Amino acid sequence: MIEVLRAGPLTTVQDLGRPGLAHLGVGRSGAADRPSLRLANRLVGNPEDAAALETTFGGLAVRATCATTVALTGAPCPVRVGGRARDGNAPVAVAAGEVVELGMPPAGVRTYLAVRGGLAVPPVLGACATDVLAHLGPDPVRDGDRLPTGHPAGPTPGVDVAPVRALPSEPLLRVVPGPRVDRFSPAALEVLGSRRFEVTAASDRVGVRFSGPSLERSRVEELPSEGLVEGAVQVPPDGQPVVFLADHPVTGGYPVIAVVHPQDLPVVAQLRPGQSARFAVQPALG
Amino acid sequence: MRFLPAGYSGLLVECDDLAQVMTLHRALQRSRPHGVVDLVPAALTLLLTFDASTSHARLRDTIAATDLDGGTGTAQQRHVTIEVTYDGADLADVAQLTGIPSDEVVRRHQAADYVVAFTGFAPGFAYVAGGDPALVVPRRSTPRTKVPAGSVALAGEFTGVYPGEGPGGWQLIGHTSAPLWDLQRDPPALLTPGTTVRFTEAHP
């Protein structure tokens, strides 16, 4: 059991989501930065898809009711356990009653806290992920919540620390032309691939919203809603791109000019408001 | 039919019409191609998302070889009757937009045989097709920020039923107490693609 003393700005329970239910209008959801969730789970000897906490800009404080092992991955934030500084990307022993406190990450947005045994919250449609758009899964974590932990599935791995690449300050995100690139002026893809775009504060688990040069459409008539993929770069009438993350809507009615490479999506999920990014347009897929 | 890559693990199939989308969706549900994670039908498209064990090219070949003529009606199709109280806030607007008196709108809405084309927008929200062509109306120019749960509404060629309270721009013609979304049920959605539907007037 862990007891939430302070939930911080937004903390949710996440696993690898619920793929395969789009025909019911249910999206995948799950950790916005999936490799970080997987790593956190591996570091404490959990299956990679175990449920853990996803914090937004840190600020979380939890007390372990029993001795356990935790790991923090994703946005690197200052961590104190029982008042002593500890490192991320490493298994950290926590004595019974000790408090794990997260500061604010100087880079990135989302930090993952995995607990040995995983969080044993009741699954909804096969997953423990909180979908903030569809209001599905556990409610966001609140101060005072008590979250049960499961039984360890295997031994803890014999590692002290996992080397992790630092988050880039201005990432170059690979994209391929999207299904509706023909709805845009020929210049739009070139603008996307050559200019800087700044992340706005209206970004969340649904998508990262950018501001920058307008991506002009060549055809203005309405597009009937169609299925959306994670990583889709959708362009509403204002010409400002949105990159969809884990809680994206199942369908959408604005044209998708490009799609982000799956390996670069975790980087998108860690972009902070005010940070800028560039897009590298790759050759169209066959 | 047109094939549009939707990123590294998505293929958007653009169909000629809604009927072709529904036929293709049924065919791919009956024999799901290897590696497909999700099938997302919509008004004119079917999106396939897939894992690394297959590819755009392989799925294109599979779909091109799919028989779209056979198997239109299947025996195990689900049928749902939805009881509606026709008291929607936009019933008068729909009458005005279509030039059909309100009581005739209500009569025609119950007269048609419907089928769920696809879902989306929110869990359990179904786009129900097959209504009277005279009842095709545009969305409201200003969407409502709060549409009550159970609202039965029209937009374009579709009838929709709102499973929960939320924003929405469809023309409200009535409401139902049918349980559209219930997590204790499998599947939780009452209306799933392919389900045939009739709307009848609720009797108090």
Side-chain angles (χ1 to χ4, degrees), chain A residues 20-25 176 180 226 286, chain B residues 7-8 14 38 42 45 60 119 124:
Chain A
L21 299 178
H23 60 286
L24 302 178
V176 281
R180 297 298 172 187
E226 58 192 25
Chain B
Y8 296 82
E14 195 174 54
D38 259 313
T45 54
R60 266 200 314 266
T119 60

Side-chain angles (χ1 to χ4, degrees), chain A residues 13-19 28 30-31 34-42 44-53 114-115 117-121 123 126-129 153:
Chain A
V13 176
Q14 297 295 342
D15 54 17
L16 293 180
R18 36 183 88 80
R28 173 169 180 160
R34 287 199 286 268
S36 291
L37 174 90
R38 287 193 165 109
L39 175 62
N41 275 322
R42 287 200 302 274
V44 296
N46 289 347
E48 285 192 327
D49 62 351
L53 292 176
V115 182
L119 299 176
V121 301
C128 300

Side-chain angles (χ1 to χ4, degrees), chain B residues 36-77:
Chain B
V36 168
V37 175
D38 259 313
L39 294 168
V40 193
L44 282 177
T45 54
L46 178 68
L47 173 71
L48 291 86
T49 63
F50 52 90
D51 62 28
S53 68
T54 186
S55 67
H56 293 96
R58 213 174 293 172
L59 289 172
R60 266 200 314 266
D61 291 348
T62 307
I63 292 167
T66 300
D67 177 17
L68 295 181
D69 296 326
T72 41
T74 52
Q76 81 278 25
Q77 217 152 48

Side-chain angles (χ1 to χ4, degrees), chain A:
Chain A
M1 177 91 74
I2 60 168
E3 198 182 344
V4 179
L5 306 180
R6 245 190 356 261
L10 173 68
T11 299
T12 55
V13 176
Q14 297 295 342
D15 54 17
L16 293 180
R18 36 183 88 80
L21 299 178
H23 60 286
L24 302 178
V26 173
R28 173 169 180 160
S29 188
D33 172 357
R34 287 199 286 268
S36 291
L37 174 90
R38 287 193 165 109
L39 175 62
N41 275 322
R42 287 200 302 274
L43 285 168
V44 296
N46 289 347
E48 285 192 327
D49 62 351
L53 292 176
E54 178 183 281
T55 70
T56 315
F57 296 115
L60 175 77
V62 296
R63 179 187 286 128
T65 55
C66 314
T68 185
T69 303
V70 302
L72 289 130
T73 60
C77 57
V79 184
R80 299 183 88 79
V81 175
R84 292 181 304 279
R86 287 289 182 263
D87 292 319
N89 303 314
V92 177
V94 182
E98 270 187 335
V99 177
V100 180
E101 278 179 289
L102 279 63
M104 186 172 166
V109 177
R110 299 183 168 91
T111 306
Y112 294 86
L113 171 72
V115 182
R116 182 155 164 77
L119 299 176
V121 301
V124 174
L125 299 179
C128 300
T130 300
D131 185 329
V132 299
L133 182 71
H135 303 292
L136 209 61
D139 287 334
V141 172
R142 284 176 301 251
D143 296 359
D145 280 358
R146 295 165 69 85
L147 303 168
T149 50
H151 295 289
T156 45
V159 291
D160 292 327
V161 65
V164 169
R165 198 176 301 159
L167 292 167
S169 61
E170 188 187 87
L172 182 63
L173 306 166
R174 290 165 291 173
V175 293
V176 281
R180 297 298 172 187
V181 68
D182 61 353
R183 292 248 164 181
F184 294 86
S185 73
L189 200 60
E190 202 187 305
V191 169
L192 180 71
S194 59
R195 305 280 295 275
R196 271 188 179 75
F197 290 83
E198 191 174 296
V199 178
T200 75
S203 304
D204 56 17
R205 284 182 41 84
V206 175
V208 172
R209 288 163 198 279
F210 290 90
S211 75
S214 184
L215 303 174
E216 301 292 342
R217 286 198 226 169
S218 56
R219 295 167 65 185
V220 292
E221 76 268 24
E222 232 181 285
L223 181 72
S225 288
E226 58 192 25
L228 280 173
V229 295
E230 198 179 5
V233 185
Q234 194 193 56
V235 184
D238 64 4
Q240 304 294 294
V242 181
V243 176
F244 280 121
L245 295 180
D247 289 356
H248 70 82
V250 175
T251 59
Y254 299 127
V256 171
I257 190 172
V259 180
V260 175
H261 193 291
Q263 285 174 2
D264 292 348
L265 264 181
V267 178
V268 178
Q270 295 290 2
L271 284 171
R272 295 161 76 104
Q275 208 177 340
S276 60
R278 287 178 302 128
F279 296 90
V281 180
Q282 313 289 302
L285 296 166

